[in-house]
Amino acid sequence: MMQPTYILAVRIARRWAISFTVGAAAVVLPGLPLAPCALAAQSVSDLLTAGDRESTARRSSAALGNFERAVKAEPTSYVALWKAAREAVDLGEFEKNAETRTALYERATDYARRAVAANSRDAEGHFQLARAVGRTALAASPRERVKYALEVRDEAFKALQLHPNHAGALHVLGVWNAEVMRLSGFSRAVAKAFLGGQVLGSASWAEAIRYMELAVAAEPNRLVHHLDLARVYRDAGRRNEARAAYQAALRTPFQDANDDQYRKSANEELRTLR
């Protein structure tokens, strides 16, 4: 039989193991586990905050690590998924090793698809999917590139349906039109006739310029918008406007992970502009 003193001690321990109050604050004693969902929510929140901090500092590798840990803790976290996709694309863009670059784009595409599955009613997931698929297409066969090109266009339009002034989606469509126009006439004809790419016929330099100008207007302080607008002007034969856009890119302050590379490209391309 338990001794009365022992029973009393057990009751007191149980009561104090729950919590005790100091002033108005309840303090949870060490050793008492929090509910798993509370721990997970706090962990994901902390990881997202840490990832945002690293992303703002333009440290994509560290940012991606935090966002991927958040995805591991909460596999359907929409925010963690689209932000992981964003950082993976940023890392892949100037990665010199082809296998590493391809793997990063594949990861980005997977995260973006999962983000859209988690929340199809927000523009950011569709934009990141368009961006990731567009990068993946660069290493694909001609037939696959047409398939990817159609998906890039569709996802960018979905983003704009949800957010009509989404600068990233406007940029994607500007580059999409430009890339189609940069194909040879023969390549476009083959794609339209044999690869199911009839929609490629809707591309034009006028649309490339229109979308890129809209992207710059929506986010005038983003260097990459000015850079790609300059490239579109250049390839469309509008050299004076291209020169002005390159100069604007060189004046724009850094904010994105690859802005130092973008500025270097703008400087080199401006020097060779005739």
Side-chain angles (χ1 to χ4, degrees):
M1 177 181 293
M2 287 188 181
Q3 298 299 318
T5 302
Y6 179 79
I7 294 173
L8 178 61
V10 169
R11 289 175 178 171
I12 291 173
R14 285 176 178 171
R15 184 178 304 160
W16 283 82
I18 298 172
S19 67
F20 65 91
T21 302
V22 179
V27 180
V28 178
L29 288 176
L32 181 66
L34 294 173
C37 59
L39 269 178
Q42 182 64 41
S43 175
V44 169
S45 176
D46 288 346
L47 288 166
L48 290 175
T49 299
D52 288 340
R53 183 169 55 249
E54 297 293 351
S55 183
T56 299
R58 303 196 302 125
R59 294 189 288 262
S60 291
S61 182
L64 177 59
N66 281 292
F67 294 136
E68 288 188 320
R69 284 190 286 275
V71 169
K72 186 175 181 180
E74 189 178 323
T76 59
S77 170
Y78 171 70
V79 173
L81 287 163
W82 75 252
K83 289 184 176 182
R86 178 190 65 197
E87 301 301 326
V89 170
D90 284 346
L91 281 172
E93 187 171 358
F94 291 97
E95 171 58 50
K96 294 180 180 178
N97 182 282
E99 290 184 1
T100 302
R101 183 171 59 249
T102 298
L104 283 166
Y105 290 154
E106 287 175 351
R107 280 159 69 187
T109 302
D110 176 63
Y111 289 138
R113 290 196 193 285
R114 290 165 61 186
V116 170
N119 180 8
S120 63
R121 300 301 302 164
D122 185 78
E124 204 61 40
H126 293 288
F127 163 58
Q128 295 300 338
L129 180 54
R131 188 169 176 247
V133 170
R135 289 293 173 183
T136 300
L138 296 177
S141 68
R143 180 179 294 274
E144 289 177 319
R145 283 186 187 180
V146 172
K147 177 189 68 175
Y148 286 135
L150 302 181
E151 184 175 16
V152 168
R153 181 177 181 273
D154 287 347
E155 291 300 325
F157 273 127
K158 288 176 183 177
L160 287 180
Q161 288 171 357
L162 296 165
H163 185 342
N165 202 37
H166 192 290
L170 292 167
H171 187 132
V172 166
L173 287 171
V175 171
W176 186 90
N177 277 273
E179 288 298 324
V180 173
M181 295 306 296
R182 287 170 183 139
L183 293 173
S184 68
F186 176 76
S187 295
R188 287 201 304 275
V190 170
K192 290 162 61 177
F194 303 108
L195 302 180
Q198 289 84 359
V199 72
L200 301 185
S202 66
S204 69
W205 285 118
E207 283 295 271
I209 291 169
R210 182 175 74 87
Y211 279 118
M212 286 309 312
E213 288 179 339
L214 287 171
V216 168
E219 286 182 339
N221 291 323
R222 186 147 262 138
L223 195 160
V224 71
H225 295 331
H226 293 285
L227 175 58
D228 276 330
L229 175 59
R231 289 166 170 167
V232 170
Y233 280 145
R234 177 198 64 195
D235 294 348
R238 294 167 58 167
R239 295 294 192 268
N240 290 336
E241 287 115 314
R243 185 172 291 104
Y246 278 126
Q247 291 168 343
L250 294 174
R251 292 192 302 269
T252 304
F254 289 176
Q255 63 172 301
D256 292 329
N258 295 322
D259 276 353
D260 47 354
Q261 295 285 345
Y262 295 146
R263 181 173 289 181
K264 180 181 177 182
S265 296
N267 191 44
E268 292 174 351
E269 292 170 27
L270 178 59
R271 286 204 308 266
T272 61
L273 184 67
R274 296 288 184 269

